[in-house]
């Protein structure tokens, strides 16, 4: 048996997202816009799906995002460290300009699609395998009439989706996912390969990322039930 529907949901915005700093496994919380994004996206997700199980990365930004959905859906959030973000070693917390200045060759290699292993970063293959193994294990414990929501991170989700679709770790065929947006994946029928199929990617309450990152209309909009759709 396997779960009927899998939603891979990226966390809401953080200060590092807003200032274009590489987060990796730095454990920082959502900012105010990120909390609003989590509430708004959770409401949009619930309008389309009924989560049976919610599993979050152990990093605070993912757990806080997951809790927004858990409260609305009445589902207890579980934590699994295997779906945490890709580790970027010495680069974590730095801007692209800072990385390029201190590690020009490694940065150029990374931007060209290579692996910056000399700075202590995880490889794409390692991230893809650990996230996909966790998701597969969680999914197998569920049935076809259930929906699993895994709350994770941008690089972790794209790596996991690629692995689930049978793509090589070096494949970079997906654009970056907006904060608090998600991918929808379903199991293939019978013994068809790959075992999973991508239904949609970068789903959320809006496709207008500029408006999405601007946050709610009112600066004082911090009520737990506030879920204005920015469209």
């Amino acid at each position: 048996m396997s779960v009927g529907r899998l939603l891979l949901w990226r966390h809401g915005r953080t200060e590092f997202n807003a200032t274009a700093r590489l987060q990796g496994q730095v454990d920082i919380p959502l900012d105010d816009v990120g909390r609003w994004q989590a509430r708004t996206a959770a409401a949009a997700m619930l309008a389309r799906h009924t989560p049976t199980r919610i599993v979050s990365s152990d990093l605070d930004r993912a757990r806080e995002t997951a809790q927004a959905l858990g409260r609305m859906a009445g589902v207890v959030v579980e934590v699994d460290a295997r779906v945490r973000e890709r580790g970027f070693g010495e680069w974590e917390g730095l801007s692209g300009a800072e990385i390029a200045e201190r590690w020009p060759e490694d940065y150029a290699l990374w931007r060209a699609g290579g692996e910056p292993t000399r700075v202590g970063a995880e490889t794409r293959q390692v991230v893809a395998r650990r996230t996909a193994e966790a998701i597969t294990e969680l999914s197998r414990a569920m049935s076809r009439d259930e929906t699993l929501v895994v709350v994770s991170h941008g690089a972790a989700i794209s790596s996991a989706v690629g692995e689930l679709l049978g793509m090589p770790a070096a494949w970079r065929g997906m654009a970056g996912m907006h904060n608090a947006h998600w991918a929808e994946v379903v199991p293939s029928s019978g013994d068809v390969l790959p075992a999973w199929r991508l239904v949609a990617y970068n789903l959320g309450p809006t496709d207008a990322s500029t408006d999405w990152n601007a946050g709610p209309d009112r600066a004082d909009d911090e009520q737990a039930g506030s879920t204005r759709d920015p469209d």
Side-chain angles (χ1 to χ4, degrees):
M1 295 294 290
S2 181
V3 72
R5 192 170 307 277
L6 169 65
L7 305 177
L8 300 173
W9 189 24
R10 187 187 178 201
H11 61 80
R13 196 184 81 169
T14 69
E15 180 184 352
F16 277 15
N17 290 144
T19 55
R21 292 188 173 274
L22 188 59
Q23 290 183 123
Q25 296 180 358
V26 175
D27 200 7
I28 61 175
L30 302 179
D31 64 12
D32 288 342
V33 169
R35 295 184 186 95
W36 168 79
Q37 288 176 340
R39 297 193 304 268
T40 304
M45 185 181 289
L46 287 175
R48 309 175 196 181
H49 305 287
T50 303
T52 310
R53 188 178 185 186
I54 303 171
V55 179
S56 171
S57 155
D58 61 334
L59 299 180
D60 280 350
R61 58 190 183 272
R63 290 194 294 179
E64 193 172 358
T65 302
Q67 290 293 348
L69 179 64
R71 285 192 295 271
M72 293 183 191
V75 176
V76 175
V77 174
E78 305 169 48
V79 174
D80 192 324
R82 294 175 295 175
V83 297
R84 62 162 46 192
E85 181 60 299
R86 179 183 181 183
F88 280 97
E90 296 178 75
W91 288 3
E92 294 184 349
L94 302 179
S95 67
E98 290 169 335
I99 296 170
E101 180 180 0
R102 295 170 60 180
W103 295 273
E105 294 181 2
D106 293 282
Y107 183 72
L109 174 66
W110 181 50
R111 296 296 296 174
E115 299 280 10
T117 54
R118 292 192 300 175
V119 297
E122 285 185 292
T123 65
R124 290 193 191 91
Q125 186 174 64
V126 167
V127 179
R129 286 180 176 174
R130 71 166 163 82
T131 52
E133 286 175 2
I135 290 165
T136 300
E137 179 184 307
L138 293 166
S139 299
R140 284 176 177 167
M142 301 175 68
S143 62
R144 286 298 176 103
D145 61 348
E146 294 184 296
T147 297
L148 170 63
V149 179
V150 175
V151 188
S152 186
H153 310 261
I157 289 173
S158 61
S159 295
V161 170
E163 183 77 4
L164 293 173
L165 297 181
M167 302 302 293
W171 183 65
R172 303 183 70 177
M174 286 178 290
M177 184 176 287
H178 297 325
N179 286 114
H181 281 53
W182 64 88
E184 182 177 347
V185 187
V186 297
S188 299
S189 300
D191 297 325
V192 174
L193 294 177
W196 295 88
R197 294 187 178 186
L198 181 64
V199 175
Y201 188 80
N202 228 353
L203 293 173
T206 179
D207 293 324
S209 59
T210 300
D211 183 52
W212 183 236
N213 287 326
D217 285 334
R218 303 192 310 277
D220 62 348
D221 185 3
E222 296 188 6
Q223 299 179 10
S226 174
T227 57
R228 178 186 71 86
D229 190 328
D231 280 345

